[in-house]
Amino acid sequence: MSGPNGDLGTPVEAGAEGEEEGFGEAEYAAINSMLDQINSCLDHLEEKNDHLHARLQELLESNRQTRLEFQQQLGETPSDANP
């Protein structure tokens, strides 16, 4: 018998003793389903993280430009400003 990933599963003997020792196909299917859900959640979180990172980079650049424009209006040069 092969598992959901093509791996050989633990052989199940006829009787209750064999079922207690190893996982059956239903257990492998349930675990595989849970892992798929976890993987989907992680993919979604990664997409959100990438989107937030891009937005923060845009915000940082916008703030740099605004600061430079404000300094120019005040007659300062960027090197004159304190960090």
Side-chain angles (χ1 to χ4, degrees), residues 52-62:
L52 286 172
H53 184 263
R55 294 293 308 254
L56 287 172
Q57 288 293 104
E58 292 171 7
L59 181 61
L60 179 62
E61 184 58 33
S62 173

Side-chain angles (χ1 to χ4, degrees), residues 36-55:
D36 286 343
Q37 289 176 353
I38 291 169
N39 193 38
S40 294
C41 289
L42 290 173
D43 286 344
H44 184 70
L45 285 173
E46 186 177 10
E47 288 176 16
K48 281 183 139 183
N49 185 46
D50 291 345
H51 179 73
L52 286 172
H53 184 263
R55 294 293 308 254

Side-chain angles (χ1 to χ4, degrees), residues 3-5 24-41:
N5 295 326
E25 279 191 46
E27 287 84 3
Y28 279 120
I31 291 169
N32 195 35
S33 176
M34 285 187 267
L35 290 173
D36 286 343
Q37 289 176 353
I38 291 169
N39 193 38
S40 294
C41 289

